[in-house]
Amino acid sequence: GAVVSQHPSRVICKSGTSVKIECRSLDFQATTMFWYRQFPKQSLMLMATSNEGSKATYEQGVEKDKFLINHASLTLSTLTVTSAHPEDSSFYICSASVPDPRDEKLFFGSGTQLSVL
Amino acid sequence: GENVEQHPSTLSVQEGDSAVIKCTYSDSASNYFPWYKQELGKGPQLIIDIRSNVGEKKDQRIAVTLNKTAKHFSLHITETQPEDSAVYFCAASTGYSTLTFGKGTMLLVSP
């Protein structure tokens, strides 16, 4: 399957700092990428849809000023958690779809475990 | 919106046995049903998927069945191995990559 690379895999930061997470599609161009959040032993919760060259679309209840998304190229989307607090600690996962209208599939990155102290 | 129910939440089997995980969906417009395997601390991995114009799909030890009338689909794993132990998520989509996930099934395969 297609490869989606996510970095870093783990980050620990102090409360009040900002953290940037990168998501790259390695062998295909992704006009759309998605950012999910996952709490322990729970399912994936869609946070936002990232569109190349335009503003991201956020799900209801997700603060767009807290979770800044930039999709500057067809292979890179970034999620910045601004002024992080302990309640932002979570597993963040990005995904991208292979743009084949006949067989569209969604592939996920390896995830980023964010711990805010 | 779409609602996906997944059962069971946990499943324990002996190595070599079969495992079946079932999901139901609410939106009859859903037309794409992928299954993902997630190991601890990793992102979900697509293992098999099925579209609404097909009733069954198989890939080695893994198969998925879809009943559009009843709006349910199932994952079947035969000859389970310890490395199959993970959390499995079903999902349903009505359009472009907008997946709704089930709550997951933790599968434990004992040697």
Side-chain angles (χ1 to χ4, degrees):
Chain A
V3 179
V4 177
S5 175
Q6 187 172 342
H7 180 81
S9 58
R10 181 179 296 273
V11 59
I12 301 172
C13 69
K14 293 182 179 180
S15 184
T17 61
S18 294
V19 174
K20 179 183 285 188
I21 303 170
E22 293 188 348
C23 181
R24 296 179 184 272
S25 57
L26 296 187
D27 50 359
F28 65 99
Q29 293 183 330
T31 55
T32 303
M33 291 184 176
F34 304 86
W35 288 95
Y36 291 82
R37 184 173 182 176
Q38 186 178 35
F39 291 104
K41 298 185 179 181
Q42 293 191 22
S43 189
L44 291 83
M45 180 185 75
L46 180 65
M47 298 175 63
T49 301
S50 169
N51 299 294
E52 187 269 335
S54 64
K55 293 183 178 180
T57 303
Y58 291 82
E59 295 298 305
Q60 189 174 8
V62 178
E63 300 177 60
K64 61 180 181 180
D65 294 330
K66 158 70 80 175
F67 300 101
L68 299 180
I69 292 173
N70 183 280
H71 195 156
S73 76
L74 288 173
T75 59
L76 174 64
S77 176
T78 60
L79 168 68
T80 300
V81 183
T82 62
S83 186
H85 288 92
E87 58 265 30
D88 299 323
S89 298
S90 189
F91 193 56
Y92 293 88
I93 318 171
C94 70
S95 68
S97 62
V98 177
D100 182 346
R102 299 167 299 176
D103 192 23
E104 183 183 316
K105 298 180 187 295
L106 193 66
F107 294 95
F108 285 83
S110 55
T112 297
Q113 181 65 53
L114 172 63
S115 299
V116 185
L117 305 178
Chain B
E2 175 67 277
N3 183 49
V4 177
E5 298 284 340
Q6 183 172 347
H7 298 281
S9 57
T10 59
L11 179 59
S12 294
V13 300
Q14 292 290 321
E15 182 177 2
D17 289 347
S18 296
V20 180
I21 303 171
K22 299 181 179 181
C23 288
T24 60
Y25 61 98
S26 61
D27 192 339
S28 57
S30 289
N31 55 17
Y32 177 59
F33 308 92
W35 285 89
Y36 289 88
K37 174 184 180 182
Q38 186 178 26
E39 298 177 342
L40 189 63
K42 297 183 179 180
Q45 175 191 5
L46 179 66
I47 58 172
I48 196 167
D49 57 7
I50 192 168
R51 297 189 183 272
S52 59
N53 58 345
V54 177
E56 183 175 0
K57 184 176 179 181
K58 188 174 182 180
D59 183 3
Q60 298 183 339
R61 296 187 296 110
I62 296 173
V64 57
T65 59
L66 170 65
N67 184 325
K68 289 177 57 181
T69 303
K71 289 190 284 188
H72 67 69
F73 56 111
S74 300
L75 177 71
H76 303 253
I77 305 175
T78 59
E79 300 174 26
T80 54
Q81 302 167 3
E83 50 265 39
D84 294 329
S85 296
V87 178
Y88 291 81
F89 290 98
C90 65
S93 172
T94 58
Y96 182 73
S97 303
T98 307
L99 292 177
T100 300
F101 286 88
K103 293 188 175 182
T105 297
M106 179 176 290
L107 174 64
L108 177 61
V109 182
S110 302

